[in-house]
């Protein structure tokens, strides 16, 4: 949305906010990759200097290649949601998040979601459904996030990795919604997932 006054063959004469509807990503590659020079290889990702062409021009950009990840919205039988309080070294603070984890090679996202939910929260999902997919930060990396909703949960013991500082936080939706509106949840995937969950699950029209 932006404010402008202009003539457009598609919009006509517009004075004030321009709202474009019906727009979506084409899903097509618009650049031709020439080469990738590896700069860094870590346990879960690599940084490359990508050379690519746009028409006659050849350019380069440093990008992060990531195998992708999953996140899970765990919904208890009484409707409350189980989030985790997770210490994040990169931002030097503890964040309230939904459980998440990196895809293992050859592992389907649904399987990763089931595994990460059990490892981080101790809940085993009787039912797990896809909610939404999105790129985390496409300006610098290719990580795709697959988000699921987990229900029919059975409590077991968490299987957290050494070094993980995680604790479960079970919250009613009304409280989570208030926290989102106050800006108290700062993790991007959690914000996107919770608002999408609210839109698709809590605002569903009643069944006929």
């Amino acid at each position: 949305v932006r404010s402008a006054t202009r003539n457009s063959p598609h919009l006509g004469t517009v004075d004030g906010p321009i709202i474009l509807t019906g727009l979506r990503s084409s899903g097509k590659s618009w650049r031709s990759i020439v080469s990738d020079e590896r700069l860094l290889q870590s346990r879960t990702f690599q940084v490359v200097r990508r050379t690519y062409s746009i028409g006659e021009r050849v350019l380069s950009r440093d990008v992060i290649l990531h195998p992708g990840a999953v996140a899970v919205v765990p919904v208890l039988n009484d409707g409350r949601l189980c989030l985790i309080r997770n210490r994040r070294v990169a931002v030097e603070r503890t964040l309230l998040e939904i459980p998440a984890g990196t895809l293992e090679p050859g592992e389907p996202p649904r399987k990763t979601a089931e595994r990460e939910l059990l490892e981080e929260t101790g809940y085993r999902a009787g039912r797990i459904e896809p909610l939404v997919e999105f790129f985390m930060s496409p300006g610098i990396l290719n990580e795709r996030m697959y988000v699921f909703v987990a229900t029919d949960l059975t409590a077991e013991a968490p299987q957290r990795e050494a070094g993980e500082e995680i604790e479960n936080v079970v919250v009613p939706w009304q409280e989570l919604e208030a926290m989102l509106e106050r800006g108290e949840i700062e993790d991007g995937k959690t914000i996107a997932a919770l608002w999408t969950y609210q839109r698709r699950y809590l605002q569903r029209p009643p069944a006929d």
Side-chain angles (χ1 to χ4, degrees), residues 40-56:
L40 171 69
Q41 178 69 60
S42 79
R43 184 174 64 88
T44 56
F45 66 88
Q46 58 180 305
V47 181
V48 301
R49 180 153 297 149
R50 173 159 291 175
T51 302
Y52 59 95
S53 63
I54 304 178
E56 299 299 321

Side-chain angles (χ1 to χ4, degrees), residues 9-164:
H10 303 289
L11 302 175
T13 301
V14 179
D15 187 7
I18 298 174
I19 302 176
L20 303 181
T21 60
L23 300 181
R24 59 179 298 176
S25 171
S26 67
K28 296 179 180 178
S29 175
W30 52 278
R31 290 174 172 168
S32 177
I33 298 175
V34 176
S35 64
D36 283 343
E37 176 192 356
R38 183 181 299 170
L39 304 178
L40 171 69
Q41 178 69 60
S42 79
R43 184 174 64 88
T44 56
F45 66 88
Q46 58 180 305
V47 181
V48 301
R49 180 153 297 149
R50 173 159 291 175
T51 302
Y52 59 95
S53 63
I54 304 178
E56 299 299 321
R57 294 185 298 163
V58 177
L59 306 168
S60 66
R61 181 186 296 269
D62 294 347
V63 298
I64 302 169
L65 303 183
H66 190 281
V70 303
V72 187
V73 179
V75 184
L76 277 64
N77 292 340
D78 61 5
R80 293 180 300 164
L81 279 66
C82 179
L83 277 68
I84 57 173
R85 191 172 282 117
N86 194 1
R87 185 184 181 198
R88 292 298 192 180
V89 175
V91 296
E92 300 181 352
R93 63 175 63 187
T94 299
L95 301 179
L96 192 62
E97 308 177 13
I98 55 175
T102 301
L103 289 169
E104 296 290 345
E107 186 176 45
R110 183 185 297 269
K111 187 69 174 178
T112 307
E114 293 171 346
R115 174 175 54 78
E116 289 292 340
L117 176 65
L118 181 61
E119 289 178 1
E120 294 195 350
T121 69
Y123 282 110
R124 186 180 298 277
R127 182 180 178 86
I128 192 160
E129 300 177 303
L131 178 66
V132 67
E133 300 176 15
F134 51 86
F135 290 108
M136 287 291 288
S137 185
I140 60 170
L141 79 159
N142 70 342
E143 179 184 5
R144 189 168 183 83
M145 178 66 68
Y146 302 84
V147 184
F148 295 84
V149 174
T151 54
D152 191 18
L153 303 181
T154 302
E156 300 183 11
Q159 302 171 18
R160 295 166 184 152
E161 296 180 6
E164 288 185 324

Side-chain angles (χ1 to χ4, degrees), residues 79 81 171-178 180 194-195 197-198 202:
L81 279 66
V171 190
W173 169 254
Q174 290 80 0
E175 184 176 341
L176 274 178
E177 186 175 34
L180 286 163
L194 291 180
W195 281 129
Y197 167 77
Q198 188 245 21
L202 303 183

